[in-house]
Each structure stands twice: as C-alpha cells, then as structure tokens.
Amino acid sequence: MSAPGSSAPGWQDALPAFGRRLPRWAADERLALLAWSRLSEPEDLVAKAFVAGRGARQALERLASPAPVSAAECLLGERTEHLRAGLARWASRWEETDPERDLDRVQTLGGRVVLDGDPEWPDGLALLNGGEPFALWVRGPLHLARACERSAAVVGARAATAYGERLAASIAVGLGDAGATTVSGAALGVDGAAHRGALAAGAPTLAVLACGVDRAYPPSHQRLLRAVAEEGLVVSEVPPGSSPMRRRFLQRNRLIAAVSSATVVVEAGWRSGSLSTAGLAMDLVRPVGAVPGPVTSPSSEGCHRLLRAGAICVTDAAEVLELVSGVAPDAVRRVEARPHDGLDALQLAVFDALPVVSAQSAERIAVTAGLAAPDVPPVLRDLSQRGLASRSSGGWRRAPRGSGAGGDRQ
Amino acid sequence: MSAPGSSAPGWQDALPAFGRRLPRWAADERLALLAWSRLSEPEDLVAKAFVAGRGARQALERLASPAPVSAAECLLGERTEHLRAGLARWASRWEETDPERDLDRVQTLGGRVVLDGDPEWPDGLALLNGGEPFALWVRGPLHLARACERSAAVVGARAATAYGERLAASIAVGLGDAGATTVSGAALGVDGAAHRGALAAGAPTLAVLACGVDRAYPPSHQRLLRAVAEEGLVVSEVPPGSSPMRRRFLQRNRLIAAVSSATVVVEAGWRSGSLSTAGLAMDLVRPVGAVPGPVTSPSSEGCHRLLRAGAICVTDAAEVLELVSGVAPDAVRRVEARPHDGLDALQLAVFDALPVVSAQSAERIAVTAGLAAPDVPPVLRDLSQRGLASRSSGGWRRAPRGSGAGGDRQ
C-alpha cells in the first residue's frame, strides 16, 4: 500500500496481481454468488454486469487470474478501465471472503439464503433491472415471495413524533387485518413503530437491513429484530457480519422499494433518508403515498415535499391498501347523511327559503325562493311528508329537526 | 296562489299574466341589469341566457308582456318550456324589484356597481362562460379588477382549529408581503382569520358575500366586514338586502373561485362547503392548493380528500404564491448543508468507511469501503483537507466535526 502522502496511483495501475488458486467452494455457482455478495458493495453495478455476463464461477476465476485486462475479454457494454478498476476493488476483499463460513453463520441462526430463481425470490426485484442483489440472506418463518405479494413499505423518520409512531403502528395493524405485509427498515422511529404494530397484531412484517442479518442495528432494536426474525422475516443483501454504512442504507432502501407493492412515508424531515425510498419507488413506478401532518411539524416536512412531488395523500390503512391493491382512491366514502340529502333543485330551493322561526305563506316563500307561486305548495307538502317543513295557521316554516340555518352554509 | 293541498299546477300553467307598464328605469340598460340581479337567482342560467340573448331592457319588456311563450320567440338553444317556467319564476319577484332604490342603498354606504365591460370587472369572471353575474355590488377603496389580478382565495372550515386560523392568517400576511390579494368568504373560522390576517398586515383583502353588501353575515363578523369595506373590498352579486341562502353560498363560492388566481383550502371537514369552492376552481382550471394537517383532525379531512383528488399540497405563503404565479413547485429549497455534501461517490465511500473512534490504516479502510487499496490514500488526503478526516499515528479516522455516525443514515 502507498503511505498517506505518497503520490496517488491512478485506476489504471490498480491491477489485481495476486493470481491465486481458487478454493473448493468457487466451483459451486450458489456459493460463488454468495462470494460476490461479499466481494462487492450492493451499489457496484460493474460487479453485477461482470457476474451476469460470465456467471459467478467464471467471474471468480477471472478475478483470481493475474492476467492484465484486455479489450478482447470485454463483453458488450463493458469498458476495460471499468473492469480493471473493478477487479482491483473486488480483490481488496478476497482475503475475507468465505461463503461457506457465511452460510454456516446464518444457518446456525436458523436462517437461509435465497437466490434469483428460487421460489422465495420476490418478483419485485426484477424491477431493479440489473441492480438485483447477488443473494438475499434471510431469517424468519414466512415465505419471502408470498409475504411481498401484497405488501406496503411503511417507512419514515428516525426522529418521529408520537403522531408518526402511532400512525405507523395503526397502518401496520390495518395492513395485517387485510392480510398484507408491512415492510420496513427496522430503524428507530417510524420503522420500528411499523414493525411493532404488525407484531402486536400478529400481522406479517418484513425488516430489510443495511447490515448482516446476524447483527442488530440500531442496537436498541435488538429485541425487536429478534421478534421479527421469529415471527416475520429479516432480510439483507449483505453477508453476515457486515456493518451498516451510509450507502448500504441507500441500497437497502432500493430493496424495500422494489419488494413492496407500495411505499408509504409516514413522517420524514426535509432531508430524511426515507425520501430516498419513496424516490426509488417512484423510479420503479411503484405507488408512493405520504401521510400528511401539521405544516408546523418539521417531522412532516418531507411528507409534504413528497406530496408536492406527486405522492398520493394517505391518511389511514384503508388508503394505503388502495395503493397496495392498485385501486383508484375512493374520495367519496364516509359521507354522513344530512336532512336535505336527496332533495332535487326545486325542493332544495323551497327548503332553503323556509323561515326557521315565524311561519310564512307559500306565496311569500315563492318570492324568497325566486320560484313561480303555483310551484311551491306541492313542494311544501312533499317537504312536510319528509319531516322537513311544518305547517301552522300562519303558513309554513322549517320543521325543527330539519333546522340548522347557517349550520351547513358556506 | 293555490292553497296547500290543492292539486299542483305544472310549469306549463305558470304563465306570467300580469302585462304591466314598464317603469322608467327599465329603459336604462345598466339599471335593467341590476333589476335582473334581483329578479333571478345567481344559479339561474336560463335567466342569464335569456338576458344575454336579448339585452337586459328587451328581456324586461318580454317579462312584462302578457303574451304566451311561442316557439317562434325562442333563440337558438332556448326551449319554450324553460322560457315559460323562467318567466313565471322571475315574475314572482317583480313587485320587489327597484334597481334605483338598490343603487341608492349601496351608494349611501359609499358603494358602487360594477358591470361587465367596466374597467373594474374582473377578467376571471369570463371563465364562468355564461354563468357570469348580472352585476357586482361593491364596497371598498380598492380597484376590483386590479385586486384580483394576483390573488389567492384562502378558504376553509367555519369550525376551524387554532392551527387552521393561524395558518390562514399567516398565508394572508405572506400574500400581502408579495403584493397579492387574499380573497375569502367572510365566514367564521378560516375565512375570517384570512381577512383578519390581511387587515392586520395592511394587505389587500376581498370578501365575497352570499348576501347583500349592506348586510353582515355572520352577524358576529359585522366589525370585520366593516373593516374590509373600509380598507379592502366587499363584493356580492345579489342586490342589497338579500339574505344568505344555501344556494347563494354555493354560487358565491363560484365567484371566489373565478376571480382568484388560485384557491387554497386551509382546513375543511369531510363535507365542508369550501370543498365546493375548490371543486369549482378545478372546473375552471384554476390552481387549487390544500394545506395538510394531522390525519387525526376532522378539520383537515377535507384538505386530505382534496389532496387525493389532485390538489397541490401547500404549507406556507411562499407555496401559495407559486400557485398564484403559476410557477412549478420548487421542491428543493431550504436544504441545510451537511459536512459530506458535495463529495463524489468515491470520496463518500471512503468517508463512510472512516472509523469514528480508533484510527485504522488506509489499507483496512479500503477493505471496509470495498475499494482498491491504492485509490484510498489520495482520497483520505482530500478528505483531510476538507476537515472530514484526521490522521494520527495509528492511521485515519473521521474528524470530530465530520462525525455523526448513524445520524444521517437510514
């Protein structure tokens, strides 16, 4: 290695010059894929293309070879300088790569590995279009693909308020009631509340981590993560032992967006990481919802920003389920009845013109309503039958239970 | 008139059979228009078409004539039965129609009348496309058309919360700071708070009433309306003395939507009348904003309903002004700087891999970051120059002011 302060070598000098014999596991395509999940970061699309073009085993062979990169070996779309830099990058993790040890570690915890093509591989990952993980490391009793089929990511700020946590939990409960899975990132705040809500309701929940599934991050969520692993699913694309790093969180967010039928942000500051999950979901053309909050709350600023960017306003689990099911928002439910509902324009005009206190003649009511006098009496009789008008010696007035002058005006 | 209980005459029997001599004022086109604003309700599109087709004076002559309606007199699009019913309706108010008296009444209060074609007639009314008022009765020192040029309707629930009233006022203040007018309906709650906010800031405000401009509705807003009439504008399309009725509120709402550059609902229950204003504004292809609030607040349900129906989420006066000016929402302002802003992917990868506590070698940091070892030292020197990395005998670690592990992760 060059000491700090020495002149910097360029990418072109960073050739893998070790040329080792491949270990036994490198002959197994599944184990080779697991090795790649250790050798490269989730964001490394050069690694993804390199492995996709050659197969995991052959890609490992090339990595172990001391031959300089030639233009001839580049596949369509590959560039020699990217390949050269990639081989140098991946080689830096060669020594610590041991997929058999990783697999043991996860299996000891009751976990497993799910690869593309396995029945548990979530369909949504195909949306990543070349950015799919090499492998998913999974703990928990649920069937991963089935759990993702009808699911919503419920994500948001770590610095959530009681409002946000309560809502996250109640959305998770409502999703569970409808048999849908709550996906989240196990972070403090909204994420944790969503998982907890689901667990409390015995509803399915899935935590996607930015670190290995054998680790608890944040540490204070150790018990929560254990519970999710026991009753739901804990998933990661980085191998056991991996620590959480900023870009792993961003990459984790793309997994959340891809496996969930819809993504909902419950609370988010102006620059919350959960906005990245929402943005990635939008990129994947997955429905994105945002829960509004007081405009005076910094914890809702990100949600309002999302709403301005085209997210759908969701206020409860039913509206989140509409996103999950791809149903158009139903804006006309929960309408309470009013005495004058169902009246036609003529009846409404007469009803409006009825005096509330002192009765008036039908003729006078016609003038007030701007109607022809002969048209009014039959309408008054009709309103009377509906219990909306009452007749006295002085004429007609609004029936007490139909009264509410000004109460529904503006 | 037929007594209640007698058999109902149909529209076809309700002929105007009075055949009076027209009063002197009926020869004046302006006064004739004012007469029509008394004879018919704002919603009466048959009256609007009848007068538009003939001119106000000739329309009055026809109303005063005892001749039965003939197919021959119907203009294109008119139907005899509608005309017959219309004449019967309008005749019911003949006795109480006196535009000279109405004009006197408003002028005594320092008011005036604005008709289509007058310089003060707001351009936006043309959007009503045949539903324009016959006349506007106006009180106040501002120039009506100019006040409407850059304006926002700030409307909402009568049953507003402190949150809604505070926001309505602060939006009105912000609109005023930018020289824009706050239009509202002078109702209790949000409307009143909007007017009050504007008045307090010396900003222009316009109240559109559902009753005559000589009346105060709601009665508790008598002082507020007087202040608006003294410093802003009070406007109505119904003549002085007219009382507020449900359908007049709905018709008033269409005026608010038409004269305002944009409409914003601050708080609204699920069935608030302010939703009609927003719906009408949408029909007129005017921008519509809604202020979000807690999903637990019934006073924000209508706003969330609007957001789901396509209204734009607005959280402060600046965002309302964007609607007024027709500017696309700027979703990326107010971004506070972070230490790692401006780093490229390579720099960010090294920054993320820097240990926070115990320094590590550049080689070890390369493994953590998944980078080729030779690439890391120059980046570390660069981060050091930016004050993000610090070097010690043991190697490199994150510089104290750049530290914030986990603080901006998820």
Side-chain angles (χ1 to χ4, degrees):
Chain A
M1 101 182 240
S2 50
S6 76
S7 86
W11 286 107
Q12 62 279 13
D13 303 315
L15 293 175
F18 52 102
R20 296 171 181 278
R21 256 192 62 186
L22 283 168
R24 195 172 34 92
W25 52 256
D28 180 296
E29 183 71 15
R30 289 180 75 88
L31 290 172
L33 273 168
L34 297 188
W36 279 106
S37 91
R38 169 76 66 187
L39 290 165
S40 67
E41 282 297 312
E43 69 194 2
D44 192 339
L45 292 176
V46 176
K48 303 245 151 97
F50 184 72
V51 172
R54 290 162 181 80
R57 278 173 299 173
Q58 257 194 279
L60 278 179
E61 278 169 27
R62 177 63 189 90
L63 176 59
S65 145
V69 172
S70 71
E73 69 177 297
C74 286
L75 304 180
L76 190 69
E78 281 181 342
R79 293 172 60 182
T80 52
E81 65 270 31
H82 290 169
L83 223 56
R84 209 176 279 136
L87 291 171
R89 257 194 328 270
W90 311 324
S92 87
R93 291 233 185 99
W94 181 266
E95 292 297 339
E96 58 179 37
T97 298
D98 183 348
E100 289 179 311
R101 178 202 58 202
D102 291 340
L103 196 55
D104 265 3
R105 207 151 145 188
V106 166
Q107 283 173 343
T108 304
L109 295 165
R112 60 198 182 275
V113 147
V114 175
L115 301 179
D116 195 354
D118 290 351
E120 276 200 80
W121 189 256
D123 287 342
L125 292 175
L127 294 175
L128 295 173
N129 197 21
E132 294 95 326
F134 286 121
L136 290 177
W137 305 81
V138 181
R139 294 173 65 187
L142 302 185
H143 185 282
L144 177 57
R146 279 205 289 272
C148 295
E149 252 168 38
R150 290 188 70 234
S151 61
V154 179
V155 297
R158 289 183 312 280
T161 66
Y163 169 78
E165 298 200 353
R166 206 170 52 234
L167 269 163
S170 93
I171 288 173
V173 170
L175 286 171
D177 286 346
T181 302
T182 296
V183 180
S184 198
L188 296 174
V190 167
D191 288 25
H195 291 303
R196 266 187 220 100
L199 289 172
T205 191
L206 160 56
V208 187
L209 306 187
C211 57
V213 294
D214 58 330
R215 296 189 58 159
Y217 187 87
S220 61
H221 276 180
Q222 188 156 19
R223 271 180 58 192
L224 173 63
L225 280 165
R226 197 183 310 134
V228 174
E230 278 166 13
E231 299 175 40
L233 287 167
V234 174
V235 173
S236 178
E237 68 176 309
V238 293
S242 302
S243 59
M245 293 195 292
R246 184 194 329 278
R247 48 195 177 137
R248 287 188 184 151
F249 282 96
L250 290 175
Q251 292 301 313
R252 182 276 310 267
N253 290 349
R254 102 191 186 287
L255 288 194
I256 291 180
V259 301
S260 307
S261 318
T263 292
V264 170
V265 181
V266 175
E267 270 193 329
W270 187 257
R271 269 186 75 152
S272 168
S274 53
L275 298 185
S276 84
T277 313
L280 292 162
M282 284 182 179
D283 291 346
L284 301 177
V285 204
R286 289 287 210 189
V288 173
V291 176
V295 300
T296 46
S297 165
S299 302
S300 287
E301 280 187 354
C303 289
H304 300 150
R305 188 181 176 185
L306 271 181
L307 289 174
R308 287 169 63 73
I312 293 160
C313 176
V314 289
T315 64
D316 58 19
E319 291 175 351
V320 174
L321 277 164
E322 285 174 359
L323 296 189
V324 170
S325 312
V327 171
D330 171 13
V332 289
R333 63 209 170 77
R334 290 189 300 193
V335 174
E336 73 277 24
R338 290 196 179 172
H340 52 77
D341 279 347
L343 298 188
D344 63 26
L346 180 63
Q347 292 164 328
L348 208 51
V350 174
F351 177 73
D352 276 348
L354 276 174
V356 177
V357 183
S358 318
Q360 286 180 347
S361 71
E363 210 160 23
R364 183 66 227 159
I365 290 168
V367 171
T368 304
L371 294 171
D375 295 321
V376 171
V379 178
L380 284 169
R381 284 194 302 277
D382 183 36
L383 291 176
S384 165
Q385 273 162 20
R386 289 168 183 258
L388 296 170
S390 74
R391 197 181 167 190
S392 64
S393 56
W396 293 87
R397 64 187 192 90
R398 205 172 280 203
R401 74 151 244 222
S403 73
D408 39 18
R409 268 174 165 162
Q410 122 126 356
Chain B
M1 99 179 240
S2 49
S6 74
S7 86
W11 287 106
Q12 61 279 14
D13 303 315
L15 292 175
F18 51 102
R20 294 171 184 279
R21 254 192 63 188
L22 284 168
R24 192 170 37 90
W25 53 257
D28 181 296
E29 183 71 15
R30 288 180 73 87
L31 290 171
L33 274 169
L34 298 188
W36 279 105
S37 91
R38 169 76 67 187
L39 290 165
S40 65
E41 282 296 311
E43 70 194 1
D44 191 340
L45 291 176
V46 176
K48 302 245 151 96
F50 184 71
V51 171
R54 291 161 180 80
R57 278 173 301 174
Q58 258 194 279
L60 278 179
E61 278 169 26
R62 178 63 189 92
L63 176 60
S65 144
V69 172
S70 72
E73 70 176 298
C74 286
L75 304 179
L76 190 67
E78 282 181 343
R79 293 173 60 183
T80 51
E81 64 270 31
H82 290 168
L83 224 55
R84 206 176 282 139
L87 291 170
R89 259 196 322 273
W90 309 326
S92 86
R93 291 234 185 96
W94 181 266
E95 291 298 339
E96 58 179 38
T97 298
D98 184 348
E100 288 178 311
R101 178 203 57 199
D102 289 340
L103 196 54
D104 266 4
R105 207 151 146 188
V106 165
Q107 282 173 344
T108 304
L109 294 165
R112 60 197 181 277
V113 145
V114 175
L115 301 179
D116 196 355
D118 291 351
E120 276 200 81
W121 188 256
D123 286 342
L125 292 176
L127 293 175
L128 295 174
N129 197 22
E132 294 95 326
F134 286 119
L136 291 178
W137 306 80
V138 181
R139 294 173 66 187
L142 303 185
H143 185 283
L144 178 58
R146 279 205 289 272
C148 295
E149 251 167 37
R150 288 187 72 234
S151 61
V154 179
V155 297
R158 289 184 312 281
T161 66
Y163 169 78
E165 298 201 353
R166 205 168 55 232
L167 269 166
S170 94
I171 288 173
V173 171
L175 286 171
D177 286 345
T181 303
T182 296
V183 181
S184 198
L188 297 175
V190 167
D191 288 24
H195 291 305
R196 266 188 219 102
L199 289 172
T205 191
L206 161 55
V208 187
L209 306 188
C211 56
V213 293
D214 59 331
R215 298 188 57 159
Y217 186 87
S220 61
H221 276 180
Q222 188 154 19
R223 273 179 57 192
L224 173 64
L225 280 165
R226 197 183 310 134
V228 174
E230 277 165 15
E231 298 177 41
L233 287 167
V234 174
V235 173
S236 178
E237 68 176 308
V238 294
S242 302
S243 58
M245 293 194 293
R246 185 195 328 278
R247 49 196 176 137
R248 287 187 184 151
F249 281 96
L250 290 176
Q251 293 300 313
R252 183 277 309 267
N253 289 351
R254 104 192 184 286
L255 288 194
I256 291 180
V259 302
S260 307
S261 317
T263 293
V264 170
V265 181
V266 174
E267 271 194 329
W270 188 256
R271 270 186 73 152
S272 167
S274 53
L275 298 186
S276 86
T277 313
L280 292 161
M282 284 181 180
D283 290 346
L284 302 177
V285 202
R286 290 285 211 191
V288 173
V291 176
V295 301
T296 45
S297 165
S299 302
S300 287
E301 281 188 354
C303 289
H304 299 150
R305 188 180 175 185
L306 271 180
L307 289 174
R308 287 170 64 74
I312 293 159
C313 176
V314 290
T315 64
D316 57 19
E319 291 175 351
V320 175
L321 277 163
E322 285 174 0
L323 295 189
V324 169
S325 312
V327 171
D330 171 15
V332 288
R333 62 208 170 76
R334 290 188 301 191
V335 174
E336 73 277 22
R338 292 197 179 172
H340 52 76
D341 280 347
L343 298 188
D344 64 24
L346 180 62
Q347 292 165 329
L348 208 51
V350 175
F351 177 74
D352 276 348
L354 276 173
V356 177
V357 184
S358 317
Q360 286 180 347
S361 70
E363 210 162 21
R364 183 66 226 158
I365 289 167
V367 172
T368 304
L371 294 172
D375 296 320
V376 170
V379 178
L380 283 169
R381 284 194 301 278
D382 183 39
L383 291 175
S384 166
Q385 272 162 20
R386 291 167 181 258
L388 297 172
S390 74
R391 195 180 168 191
S392 65
S393 58
W396 293 85
R397 62 186 191 91
R398 205 172 282 203
R401 75 151 245 222
S403 73
D408 40 16
R409 268 175 163 163
Q410 125 121 356

